[in-house]
Amino acid sequence: MDSSLAILIGGTAVFAGGVGYLVARRDADRRRAGLAAVGAAGGVAASFLLMLYLATVALPATVGLVAFLAGLVAYLAFRRDLGRRRAALAASGAGAFVAAGFLFVVYLAVIAFVVAVGVYLLARDRLRISQAVILTGTTLGGLLAASALVFWVSLSYVM
């Protein structure tokens, strides 16, 4: 693993921890919010390390893991607001979309998904649910497009 990927993974884990703290702080005291932040950051870091390890074994298994984890996280994030059936549908779409993005921009697709879910969790109390879902989809699509542009530019200068 090179240093730039380690920095991206660390930054994503810190972002997830910050979002976990802010979301948990609404309902709990500082101690529980701190535990939620550590759990979110640890979960993101552990997921990336599992993906990196699995990528050395088999790429299709890594894509399957990405689809599964994205679907699971999306379901857990949407279930409270959308209900089980619509959350499952949204989670299936999110898992497929992130897995397809993973084939083109590798780990940047997962980072974009983590940021999009963080935006949803922060925005759902300030916006209507429909607006928060649209904002989340727009964030994910925009970050995946930006990731594709970054990959294209970096491959253009390397070749």
Side-chain angles (χ1 to χ4, degrees), residues 12-24 33 36-38 40-41 122:
T12 305
V14 168
F15 174 80
V19 169
Y21 180 81
L22 291 173
V23 169
V38 169
L122 292 173

Side-chain angles (χ1 to χ4, degrees), residues 66-138:
V66 166
F68 172 73
L69 290 176
L72 178 66
V73 169
Y75 178 76
L76 293 174
F78 292 143
R79 183 181 61 191
R80 181 183 106 180
D81 300 323
L82 300 179
R84 291 180 189 264
R85 184 173 179 189
R86 289 191 297 177
L89 185 62
S92 299
F97 193 63
V98 173
F102 184 82
L103 294 173
F104 296 102
V105 293
V106 195
Y107 298 105
L108 293 179
V110 178
I111 293 170
F113 176 72
V114 169
V115 171
V117 169
V119 165
Y120 175 76
L121 291 174
L122 292 173
R124 73 179 179 188
D125 290 337
R126 290 178 172 52
L127 300 173
R128 289 188 300 223
I129 298 304
S130 60
Q131 292 172 336
V133 169
I134 290 170
L135 179 63
T136 301
T138 304

Side-chain angles (χ1 to χ4, degrees), residues 2-60:
D2 66 339
S3 61
S4 60
L5 183 59
I7 291 169
L8 284 172
I9 292 171
T12 305
V14 168
F15 174 80
V19 169
Y21 180 81
L22 291 173
V23 169
R25 185 70 176 113
R26 295 179 192 152
D27 301 329
D29 59 349
R30 286 186 179 173
R31 186 176 186 189
R32 287 188 183 183
L35 290 174
V38 169
V44 166
S47 297
F48 271 103
L49 291 177
L50 180 60
M51 283 185 277
L52 287 169
Y53 172 73
L54 203 55
T56 62
V57 177
L59 182 63

